[in-house]
Amino acid sequence: MNAAVIVAAGRGTRMGLDRNKVLTPLCGQPVIVRTVRAFADTGLFDGGIVVVTGACDVADVRAMLGQAGLCATVVPGGADRQQSVSLGLAACDAQADVIAIHDGARPLVTRDVIARTLESARETGSGVAAVALKDTIKRVDAHGVVVDTPPRDALRAVQTPQTFSAALIRQAHALYADSGARATDDAMLVERMGHAVRLTQGDVENIKLTTPEDMLLAQQVILRREDGKEPMRMRIGHGYDVHRLVEGRKLILCGVEVPHTLGLLGHSDADVALHALMDALLGAAALGDIGRHFPDTDPAYAGADSARLLDHVVALLQARGYAVGNADITIICQRPKLKDYIEAMRKTVAAHLLVDEDCVNVKATTTEKLGFEGEGLGISCHAVACIERRQP
């Protein structure tokens, strides 16, 4: 029985991120989803897949894998990689006799690479993916002076998966669990035991995503593998809403209270402008409309601040790899006059969209006293929004 441990407990510091890099979208899918799918789609892991991630990321990883239809056990990691792998091994099916250990930030691994490590581990106890070096390697001293030049033919760049018989790798981790000297990979622990480690043919495209440049390279590999079908980077949505004007209600437009004798009627604060904007954003991402996300039959949204609902919509977009590009809002209102409140509206909307103010435009127009807007019975609003997929 084969099992896999995917280690994804690192941070995205060298990537310039403020969160775990495996949560970052890569050509429309989070990195961790692509990595787990690479293993799940092989059909070789009847002992299941364990993902080890940071304690603060467990819920996000579970949600992402669930949305992608992938089945994996997700557990929190430890203080370093060695401890995280140990925790992953402990969570593996006890019946597994071969365990593959893989970096969560290597989403480009292929079935052939995985299969070769499994076959080698069954034959010899170990199978570690590796590739020949292209560059000459120099060993230097503390001052950067060359000490010697090892023969390149005898050197290999080691990747993952690193696959072992379950008994061997469990023994290695147990033996060195309390060691002061930490290993940079699992093969090193097995080597310390005096056990020979067998290398198998890796793949130069099986890169570990560490820097922004790695992400760009990975994107190109995925586009080539998937016949160049790059997800649409810019999407546009349109929203429209209307609310009746009544007495005894505040008039809230774009999150700004406008003094008036009448206010808009609705289940929430009836901010017609933000409602139209949310529909535009949801439409751009093909996520339905505000009625689907905030039904007026739900008492939880009675009197709700529409600006807070807008924050939720922006978070939904972020979770799918989108950021707001710009928004254009047209409020159709005979009275009151809104020109003195336009700049406050722009500032408020921009803050909630997490964009600069020059990415938000708010306009107000009348209907020359025609229609329900012109008669002062209600206010309507049109909104157009552009969202953009973040650079992977």
Side-chain angles (χ1 to χ4, degrees):
M1 179 183 289
N2 300 325
V5 173
I6 296 178
V7 190
R11 309 310 299 171
T13 306
R14 283 180 288 179
M15 195 76 72
L17 302 174
D18 58 359
R19 62 173 183 168
N20 194 331
K21 60 189 173 186
V22 301
L23 306 180
T24 304
L26 176 59
C27 287
Q29 296 180 42
V31 170
I32 190 61
V33 168
R34 288 190 174 276
T35 304
V36 172
R37 192 183 301 283
F39 278 74
D41 284 355
T42 65
L44 298 173
F45 292 92
D46 50 350
I49 298 170
V50 174
V51 177
V52 187
T53 191
C56 60
D57 299 320
V58 169
D60 286 337
V61 171
R62 284 176 179 161
M64 289 176 176
L65 296 179
Q67 289 172 1
L70 295 169
C71 182
T73 300
V74 183
V75 298
D80 58 17
R81 186 186 188 280
Q82 186 170 323
Q83 191 176 61
S84 291
V85 173
S86 293
L87 292 169
L89 293 173
C92 280
D93 190 319
Q95 300 302 310
D97 54 348
V98 170
I99 300 177
I101 302 167
H102 188 67
D103 296 325
R106 290 186 189 266
L108 303 179
V109 65
T110 64
R111 188 185 195 281
D112 287 345
V113 170
I114 295 169
R116 282 193 288 267
T117 68
L118 289 170
E119 182 180 0
S120 177
R122 289 204 169 276
E123 292 179 355
T124 69
S126 62
V128 175
V131 293
L133 295 178
K134 296 180 179 179
D135 300 320
T136 296
I137 302 299
K138 300 287 185 181
R139 194 166 64 88
V140 300
D141 62 18
H143 304 289
V145 178
V146 174
V147 175
D148 61 29
T149 303
R152 189 170 60 187
D153 291 346
L155 299 176
R156 294 292 183 272
V158 174
Q159 304 176 332
T160 63
Q162 299 192 359
T163 306
F164 307 90
S165 73
L168 177 62
I169 194 60
R170 289 183 191 278
Q171 180 186 4
H173 271 274
L175 187 60
Y176 295 103
D178 299 321
S179 171
R182 311 303 281 173
T184 56
D185 71 351
D186 303 286
M188 185 181 296
L189 295 178
V190 176
E191 292 163 31
R192 286 179 183 171
M193 292 174 60
H195 196 289
V197 173
R198 170 83 176 273
L199 300 185
T200 61
Q201 183 60 46
D203 186 341
V204 293
E205 292 184 349
N206 182 24
I207 59 174
K208 186 175 182 181
L209 305 180
T210 305
T211 66
E213 292 75 21
D214 295 330
M215 296 292 275
L216 292 173
L217 177 58
Q219 179 191 14
Q220 295 307 309
V221 172
I222 291 170
L223 293 180
R224 192 195 73 246
R225 290 181 181 179
E226 298 179 357
D227 298 322
K229 295 179 180 177
E230 181 177 10
M232 188 180 298
R233 291 208 167 275
M234 183 178 73
R235 303 175 68 148
I236 296 172
H238 171 262
Y240 171 77
D241 197 25
V242 57
H243 282 277
R244 182 187 300 273
L245 283 165
V246 298
E247 295 181 350
R249 295 270 298 187
K250 291 181 179 180
L251 178 58
I252 310 293
L253 294 170
C254 289
V256 175
E257 183 175 349
V258 179
H260 191 45
T261 56
L262 303 175
L264 293 172
L265 179 65
H267 185 60
S268 64
D269 62 7
D271 188 331
V272 68
L274 291 191
H275 291 186
L277 176 59
M278 285 187 277
D279 268 348
L281 294 168
L282 292 167
L287 291 174
D289 59 17
I290 57 174
R292 168 180 160 187
H293 294 272
F294 317 112
D296 59 11
T297 55
D298 189 337
Y301 302 116
D305 181 350
S306 293
R308 300 279 80 81
L309 304 184
L310 178 58
D311 292 339
H312 179 76
V313 170
V314 171
L316 286 176
L317 297 178
Q318 290 178 323
R320 286 159 176 78
Y322 289 104
V324 177
N326 70 292
D328 185 24
I329 301 168
T330 303
I331 303 171
I332 305 167
C333 172
Q334 192 68 36
R335 55 184 180 273
K337 298 300 182 183
L338 301 179
K339 65 180 180 64
D340 293 337
Y341 306 96
I342 294 296
E343 290 308 310
M345 292 179 186
R346 291 182 62 216
K347 182 175 182 179
T348 299
V349 171
H352 288 281
L353 294 184
L354 307 178
V355 299
D356 294 333
E357 287 183 43
D358 64 1
C359 295
V360 175
N361 190 54
V362 178
K363 309 187 295 290
T365 187
T366 70
T367 62
E368 300 296 332
K369 298 186 179 181
L370 298 174
F372 68 86
E373 300 102 332
E375 294 176 15
L377 299 177
I379 297 176
S380 65
C381 184
H382 289 268
V384 177
C386 169
I387 61 174
E388 300 171 340
R389 193 176 292 280
R390 294 177 185 146
Q391 185 69 31

